[in-house]
Amino acid sequence: MKVPISWLKDFVDLDGVSIEHLAHTLTMAGLEVEEIRYIGLPIPSGQQLSKLSGLAWDREKIVVADIREVGPHPDADRLVLCRLYDGEKEHSVLTGAPNLFEYKGQGELKPPIKVAYAKEGAEIYDGHQAGSHKTTLKRTKIRGVESYSMVCSEKELGISEEHEGVLFLETDAAAGTPLADVLGDAVFDIAITPNIARNANIYGVAREASALLGRPLKPMPLEVQADGPKIEGAARIEISEPELNPRFVLGMIRDIEIKPSPEWVRRRLTLAGMRPINNVVDATNYAMLELGEPLHAFDYDVLVQRAKGKPPVISTRRAKKKETLTTLDGVERQLDDFTVLVCDSAGSLSLGGVMGGLESEVTASTRNVLLEGAAWNFINIRKTLNAQRLASEAGYRFSRGVHPAMAERGVNRGLELMRQWASGSVAQGLVDEYPLPPQPSVVEIGPGDALRWLGVELSTEQLSDILGRLGFEVKAKGDALTVTTPDHRLDIGEGVIGKADLMEEVARIYGYENIPATRLGDDLPPQRGNRTLEIEERIRDLLARLGLQEVMTYRLTSPEQETRRLPVGTPPDDKPYTQLSNPISQERTVLRKSLLASVLEIVERNANIRERLGFFEIGPVFHASEAGPLPDELQRLVLALRGPRQPGHWQGGDVGALDFYDVKGVVTALLSGLGVDGLAFEPAQHPAFHPGKSARVLAGEQQLGVFGELHPQVQAQYDLGGHPVQAAALNLDAIYSLVLARFDSRGVPAYPPVLEDMAFVVDETVAAGQIEALIRQTGGKMLSDLQLFDVYRGEQIGAGKKSLAYQLTYQDAERTLTDEDVSKMRHRIVKRLEQELGAKLRA
Amino acid sequence: MLAELDNIHQEALAAAKQVADQAALDEWRSRYLGRNALLTQSVKQLGSLSAEERPAAGQKINQVKQALEAAYEERKAALQADQLQRSLETERLDVTLPGRKLPLGRLHPISQTLRRINVIFAEMGFQVYRSRDVETDEYNFLLLNFPPNHPAREMQDSFYVEGGSADNPLLLRTHTSAGQIHAMREFAAEAPDNPPPVRIVLPGMCYRYEQVSARSEVQFTQVEGLAVGADITFGDLKGTLTDFARRFFDADVRTRFRASHFPFTEPSAEMDVECFVCGGGGCSVCKHSGWLEILGSGMVHPNVLRNGGYDPERYTGFAFGMGPERLTMLRYRIEDIRNFWRNDLRFLEQFS
């Protein structure tokens, strides 16, 4: 909300308070001054909480001046030459301002026209460029006439975007007076959070400033000089739903003259961000900006005409099915059954609290005005705004809550302003239907509450003073204060909620900075730890130690992007996606089902950036749940490797492509690093992977995941570079349950081990895992380690055969093993492998 | 004979000094200490000596033999030292050639920041509590004191998810505050009449319906914090979060609390931290304000306590929420928030 400081000063004395100090004070108390726009006043350098903008007017170079005569330009019809007095001497000033043309050739103007005059060297905005671009006035010649100064438009002074003509000043200030002393101002742009909706008006901000600065607040301007005939009988009100429309007030002014508002009014409205229209509409807007009560002016004669000459009956009701209304903005609106309409006997007039209808609007020929001020249910107004996709100043305020007491005040203020600006006579009295006055909240508080919530000791006097400054009625009885909420706010609850609401007010006005910072002294809760997070962090560390880079990706994706992880033609799985109802883009319409797809996209992104890639991500995938509407969020780990085994080096090195056994190595190292025992590996059938180069890893019966080389068709669907991608997709929820909280360590053997190499020739069909399992089983406790160190195929052993060479480590914890021990064991192993796998010991 | 032995001794020592390499030294040894060496032969001559002469001669032979063996070892050591010296002088690597590159793994910068936050709060007794990404309107808004059609809801544009009901739609959580209620209810269930105090942080991914730009993302991480107990004040909030800021930025920074509004806290505050780059003097990081906006916080609203199973007449608490991306961006002067989910290695590799 835009708040001109000059307007605030109508209600609170700000002498000696700098603009910046005021902005800082309001901001710290929750009325965030996002921007200060300076209108002519000096702009400070240095740090401010608010953004600063605007134009400072040089006190010497931008002054009030008198135009004494407007004469023609010797050879340009669209320019005039003004004889202008700047307080020191007369100048001949060239201008093309259309609003001076009518004075051309009138001779000496009496009184002279007061204008804003910029001298040579003055900094102003360039009026010919869109936006605000500063320019410095330089001496030049225009059409043969020397020009070094200028009569300014509002735009050139940074007051508004108006550049149609020069600004005429309604001022008594003598020529030569610095313009900043006459028009200098600053406009605060204040962010109004929902809890301070009551401050979405000048008086509300003034009340806050008064409370914060400890300066008196002038009373609300509510006097109205009503000397016209009584309103009684001129109109009637019928409210059918008090819950939605708790109050409706009508006032009347007769015999007005529609014309532009005074210059200062138009400027205030402009600074506050509203476009001046005419004196009647401006009065409603001015009263709304000042007090926060949106008003609506009807052309009374139109209403009477619609009522066939009878006094109109204004009623409010819910819209009927399929009912429509054409609002002021010219839009024909389909209404909902919760929309509240203001109607008369001939039909609907306006969307209550939101926007007027076209037909009964005030026009240039309006003579008599019926002025509406009402109270509306803010939630219903919000629903209406959302349903109609409509934003209006009235809707903005009513959708945040305006106290019904403001309806009467607003109407009186509006009538008085119309009387002042449009003459006419205000009818005595109001028509006021008030079926549902809100009960004020009454809350008991005391110093104990301030101590409990804020941790600060405040006396009953201090509490009473702070709340009193905000308009609360406070009655003290011993240590207890009975606080009654003033009738301009709806945000204070009852009981403990009311206490919290009041403590917020106390803290804001007392000042957050005055509350001492302390350390928690409260009981420490039972310390529970977070086991899955601890394991997850261990996994991150293990994988980083293995040389992989962690990535974090979007959890929102599209089915199209995700299907790339499967070969074309793979039948879709039957699990539906978790779908967004309001996606923001085509790329992000669903929650991901596959973490593999996410990571492959990152491999793709980096495919040409580095040759060797190793990534992992830990995160959820989202699968429809059978238990309810919320999807299951399943924790997954995906890792992907691609490129040469070692980064390139000038001495060469292992530059072979990372393959199945590399990813298996990472998976094995990770799981053994987590202490997961009893792993088994089996060929896997997973559509994303190469059918011959992929495996599933199991712990006992439980599958932990799949890994291997990407299916060539999948590889081809991404731009992954030449090397095949090796990937693993692991189910972390399964792994978490297998990680033991602790383990028993083993002692370091005291006796020497015996090492022995053995090679076995077997049929190709025999898996290495079978041989290894059998050796281990036979070796039992004596076999402490088993390493495969060679796989050989060749003529020496015949076609369809392979030779696997192992190093066996024998170890006994109690004694040194003898040759005989070892020899016995060797025979048992050889015999067992021969019997069960047809293996032959290779000589 | 003794004189002869002295001669041999002298001659051998002289010859040893001339020896230039190991081969020559071995030759020297075979010549003076070998089977056919004069010294070895002289042992055989002992028998021809008289019984009186024999002991002296035998002793002499031994002395000379030991001396020559010592000379051999000495010369051998000297030759080895020479050779080492020569090889050290000639074996010169170009130390400017690149070393072998080893793959260096790293955590994502946001993981690193989350850890940093978690650790600082863990030391103050705050434990990590995690909850789901897809939430109900009830947990994300209603129980956090956002009534339906409440204006505060407009402050957060949500992604809605198919499958909810009209009065309790599903959505992607807009803040990890949604976990507050889950956590409080879980703890309160342990002792409904006397719930235990709460001190938790809630890290997690959140989502807002916003156009992606250098400053905003559709998904972002958040760390929410919650402390509930019998005696927790706004002063404690200030102290705790100031301690956090000092730890996080490794600097003795000042903090500033501004009144603000969040529906689930009252009073609410934004915390600014004195710019850790310029120390408050003004720089490009703090946009010349000297201060950085870091987090939102406040005393837990009585309705939220009640919804969590904690009686607001007996318990108070504070809550706060911060954005790890923003903290990371400030700490490393990252200009574009989109870097985090783009995962370009040229970005990630900087955070080891």
Side-chain angles (χ1 to χ4, degrees), chain A residues 542-586:
Chain A
L542 280 164
L543 291 172
R545 273 148 66 187
L546 291 166
L548 275 69
Q549 165 73 55
E550 188 189 18
V551 297
M552 288 175 95
T553 62
Y554 288 104
R555 296 176 185 182
L556 292 168
T557 184
S558 68
E560 294 72 29
Q561 286 178 91
E562 278 213 333
T563 51
R564 292 201 295 161
R565 80 188 190 283
L566 301 170
V568 176
T570 308
D573 63 33
D574 48 3
K575 292 174 207 138
Y577 273 106
T578 304
Q579 215 134 14
L580 296 187
S581 343
N582 59 334
I584 199 162
S585 77
Q586 288 295 309

Side-chain angles (χ1 to χ4, degrees), chain A residues 69-80:
Chain A
E69 187 179 352
V70 180
H73 185 279
D75 52 35
D77 284 348
R78 304 182 63 180
L79 294 174
V80 290

Side-chain angles (χ1 to χ4, degrees), chain B residues 267-282:
Chain B
S268 302
E270 294 272 3
M271 181 174 88
D272 298 336
V273 169
E274 198 173 29
C275 180
F276 58 93
V277 175
C278 61

Side-chain angles (χ1 to χ4, degrees), chain B residues 17-323:
Chain B
K17 280 186 186 150
Q18 304 302 314
V19 164
D21 58 28
Q22 185 64 42
L25 185 62
D26 288 342
E27 200 176 298
W28 178 90
R29 184 163 70 167
S30 115
R31 183 158 156 213
Y32 293 104
L33 289 164
R35 199 174 296 163
N36 298 317
L38 284 173
L39 192 64
T40 317
Q41 295 302 322
S42 60
V43 177
K44 291 171 187 168
Q45 292 170 19
L46 278 180
S48 64
L49 291 182
S50 67
E52 294 77 32
E53 284 175 313
R54 208 177 292 154
Q59 206 175 0
K60 186 72 178 178
I61 290 170
N62 268 336
Q63 276 175 5
V64 173
K65 193 176 176 187
Q66 279 170 13
L68 293 191
E69 275 168 356
Y72 170 81
E73 291 300 331
E74 190 187 324
R75 192 63 197 152
K76 184 179 171 187
L79 284 175
Q80 281 177 347
D82 280 355
Q83 198 190 350
L84 179 63
Q85 189 56 39
R86 273 198 304 279
S87 72
L88 289 180
E89 278 164 17
T90 52
E91 291 173 10
R92 291 281 158 112
L93 297 183
D94 179 354
V95 297
T96 64
L97 281 169
R100 250 171 222 102
K101 287 192 188 104
L102 297 172
L104 182 62
R106 292 168 220 89
L107 300 195
H108 191 278
I110 294 303
S111 276
Q112 296 183 31
T113 298
L114 285 170
R115 269 192 188 182
R116 192 176 169 84
I117 295 169
N118 289 348
V119 164
I120 294 168
F121 281 108
E123 289 171 8
M124 297 194 265
F126 287 77
Q127 305 216 326
V128 174
Y129 185 96
R130 298 195 289 180
S131 67
R132 45 183 315 124
D133 285 20
V134 185
E135 268 297 353
T136 57
D137 181 275
E138 185 185 15
Y139 277 87
N140 193 76
F141 287 131
L142 197 64
L143 296 172
L144 291 171
N145 203 35
F146 289 77
N149 285 301
H150 192 275
R153 288 194 176 205
E154 279 185 7
M155 294 159 74
Q156 302 186 357
D157 284 321
S158 317
F159 280 115
Y160 285 91
V161 168
E162 301 283 350
S165 57
D167 56 346
N168 192 17
L170 303 184
L171 72 167
L172 303 183
R173 64 176 167 193
T174 56
H175 44 207
T176 55
S177 323
Q180 280 188 16
I181 302 288
H182 289 295
M184 280 194 280
R185 287 187 170 180
E186 190 180 315
F187 302 151
E190 294 168 8
D193 296 332
N194 201 21
V198 181
R199 248 181 244 188
I200 50 171
V201 284
L202 304 102
M205 192 66 79
C206 303
Y207 308 81
R208 292 215 184 142
Y209 188 92
E210 275 180 14
Q211 293 295 341
V212 175
S213 73
R215 308 237 123 244
S216 77
E217 262 288 4
V218 289
Q219 74 175 34
F220 55 94
T221 59
Q222 192 187 44
V223 177
E224 176 91 2
L226 177 70
V228 176
D231 178 26
I232 290 179
T233 67
F234 190 81
D236 294 340
L237 175 158
K238 284 181 69 177
T240 305
L241 295 177
T242 300
D243 280 346
F244 166 76
R246 291 182 179 159
R247 290 287 316 279
F248 187 86
F249 291 111
D250 271 333
D252 192 19
V253 287
R254 288 188 299 161
T255 52
R256 178 172 74 185
F257 291 82
R258 281 181 289 114
S260 187
H261 172 68
F262 309 105
F264 39 102
T265 54
E266 188 179 40
S268 302
E270 294 272 3
M271 181 174 88
D272 298 336
V273 169
E274 198 173 29
C275 180
F276 58 93
V277 175
C278 61
C283 67
S284 63
V285 172
C286 58
K287 299 203 185 77
H288 304 284
S289 71
W291 294 87
L292 300 166
E293 197 175 317
I294 294 297
L295 54 80
S297 61
M299 298 300 289
V300 182
H301 195 281
N303 277 337
V304 176
L305 287 173
R306 190 175 284 143
N307 291 336
Y310 285 74
D311 179 358
E313 305 273 4
R314 288 172 55 204
Y315 292 87
T316 52
F318 65 75
F320 54 89
M322 62 184 86

Side-chain angles (χ1 to χ4, degrees), chain A residues 715-767:
Chain A
Q715 175 98 16
Q717 290 184 78
Y718 293 86
D719 185 7
L720 299 174
H723 291 297
V725 170
Q726 311 295 329
L730 302 176
N731 177 351
L732 286 186
D733 294 316
I735 291 170
Y736 292 152
S737 64
L738 296 173
V739 177
L740 301 174
R742 57 170 300 284
F743 63 92
D744 291 335
S745 70
R746 288 183 301 269
V748 177
Y751 300 94
V754 179
L755 302 180
E756 186 170 40
D757 291 351
M758 297 171 95
F760 295 98
V761 177
V762 292
D763 285 345
E764 275 291 0
T765 52
V766 176

Side-chain angles (χ1 to χ4, degrees), chain A residues 96-154:
Chain A
N99 58 342
L100 281 173
F101 277 45
E102 60 181 282
Y103 301 97
K104 187 160 74 171
Q106 289 189 5
E108 180 91 11
L109 298 168
K110 285 200 176 153
I113 303 170
K114 296 268 184 196
V115 291
Y117 176 58
K119 302 180 188 175
E120 183 176 1
E123 191 176 55
I124 56 171
Y125 286 138
D126 185 343
H128 301 289
Q129 274 197 65
S132 303
H133 300 278
K134 284 180 186 163
T135 177
T136 303
L137 283 184
K138 293 192 190 77
R139 194 170 282 264
T140 177
K141 266 192 179 173
I142 298 173
R143 294 283 189 113
V145 177
E146 189 158 57
S147 169
Y148 51 86
S149 61
M150 182 180 257
V151 180
C152 299
S153 69
E154 291 195 3

Side-chain angles (χ1 to χ4, degrees), chain A residues 228-457:
Chain A
K230 287 184 178 166
I231 195 170
E232 270 174 344
R236 212 148 51 78
I237 299 166
E238 286 175 1
I239 294 173
S240 63
E241 306 239 10
E243 285 290 340
L244 301 181
N245 173 208
R247 189 177 193 181
F248 203 101
V249 178
L250 288 170
M252 193 150 130
I253 182 165
R254 298 185 177 92
D255 302 321
I256 50 131
E257 182 193 345
I258 301 277
K259 60 180 180 183
S261 305
E263 183 242 2
W264 69 269
V265 172
R266 284 182 277 123
R267 195 171 58 248
R268 268 196 179 175
L269 290 173
T270 306
L271 292 181
M274 292 202 87
R275 203 160 51 89
I277 310 286
N278 60 44
N279 49 5
V280 167
V281 175
D282 289 355
T284 62
N285 286 333
Y286 191 101
M288 172 185 73
L289 290 173
E290 192 170 74
L291 298 181
E293 169 72 21
L295 300 171
H296 185 70
F298 293 102
D299 186 323
Y300 180 69
D301 298 317
V302 171
L303 296 181
V304 172
Q305 199 176 14
R306 283 166 62 98
K308 304 205 163 56
K310 289 187 206 148
V313 177
I314 306 294
S315 60
T316 64
R317 60 163 173 86
R318 286 171 187 259
K320 294 174 193 133
K321 232 179 193 177
K322 294 194 174 170
E323 192 166 358
T324 61
L325 173 73
T326 302
T327 40
L328 264 179
D329 51 10
V331 178
E332 185 182 345
R333 298 181 178 274
Q334 292 286 335
L335 306 176
D336 302 286
D337 61 357
F338 54 80
T339 316
V340 177
L341 290 172
V342 178
C343 307
D344 64 2
S345 52
S348 55
L349 296 168
S350 67
L351 276 182
V354 175
M355 191 174 270
L358 261 181
E359 203 181 324
S360 55
E361 272 318 296
V362 170
T363 64
S365 56
T366 299
R367 298 282 300 156
N368 303 306
V369 167
L370 195 62
L371 185 61
E372 165 200 329
W376 308 97
N377 178 305
F378 76 95
I379 286 175
N380 202 54
I381 296 289
R382 176 154 299 266
K383 276 168 75 175
T384 305
L385 292 176
N386 289 340
Q388 296 296 338
R389 298 180 178 279
L390 197 155
S392 69
E393 289 283 339
Y396 171 82
R397 286 172 175 77
F398 281 130
S399 68
R400 283 161 175 77
V402 179
H403 197 288
M406 297 307 296
E408 178 189 353
R409 295 170 184 161
V411 169
N412 279 333
R413 181 63 174 154
L415 291 172
E416 173 64 13
L417 294 174
M418 286 178 199
R419 187 193 65 77
Q420 290 175 19
W421 304 338
S423 56
S425 68
V426 176
Q428 292 173 50
L430 300 170
V431 183
D432 184 0
E433 278 297 307
Y434 199 177
L436 199 62
Q439 288 303 307
S441 290
V442 180
V443 185
E444 299 264 336
I445 62 159
D449 294 307
L451 200 58
R452 179 165 121 87
W453 255 285
L454 308 178
V456 63
E457 288 195 35

